[in-house]
Amino acid sequence: MSDADDARRVALSFPDTTEKTAWDMPTFRVAGKMFATLPEEGTSLAVRCPKEERDELVLAEPEKFWIADHEASFAWVRVRLAALEGDGELTDILADSWRQAAPHRLLEAHPRLGVPSAD
């Protein structure tokens, strides 16, 4: 079970990541581009996710993923932190979002960063 402190720790472990308060909540940015937020309630995490994948995630695992009304037209999904199965899943989710926002120079420098492990 993950919480906001875990999300912050993992997000800040990625290269060139900083934390900045925006909209009265912590946001995490890679090279200045936002890839995750910790909304005010602190029980969920918002991450980048292509709309097609986002809709599939929500349908497949509604206990973990949901779409906030104000984010419905954007490529973001909410993740219920308590529903995650530990740091591995949290890391995979944040790494995927990080990769979507990271500039090519960082992707080239860290080609395997966050690639889900084959179990």
Side-chain angles (χ1 to χ4, degrees):
M1 185 162 85
S2 299
D3 62 19
D5 290 335
D6 296 323
R8 174 177 279 112
R9 176 181 47 78
V10 172
L12 291 172
S13 73
F14 297 121
D16 206 12
T17 295
T18 58
E19 181 176 343
K20 179 180 178 181
T21 300
W23 307 287
D24 295 322
M25 72 179 114
T27 66
F28 301 93
R29 299 161 188 257
V30 55
K33 194 170 180 182
M34 191 165 45
F35 71 94
T37 68
L38 277 169
E40 56 283 342
E41 82 279 354
T43 60
S44 68
L45 175 70
V47 294
R48 290 175 172 268
C49 185
K51 287 183 183 180
E52 309 78 41
E53 292 177 27
R54 174 188 76 175
D55 295 342
E56 289 177 21
L57 283 172
V58 171
L59 287 172
E61 297 184 88
E63 71 285 354
K64 279 186 191 174
F65 301 100
W66 60 284
I67 301 167
D69 290 340
H70 67 280
E71 294 167 345
S73 61
F74 301 100
W76 287 77
V77 69
R78 292 283 179 103
V79 182
R80 289 180 177 89
L81 292 169
L84 296 179
E85 298 168 16
D87 271 3
E89 187 173 24
L90 176 62
T91 299
D92 288 347
I93 289 168
L94 281 166
D96 186 55
S97 188
W98 181 90
R99 283 192 303 274
Q100 291 176 59
H104 290 292
R105 67 177 172 79
L106 285 175
L107 295 174
E108 289 170 4
H110 305 279
R112 297 197 43 79
L113 178 69
V115 174
S117 59
D119 292 332

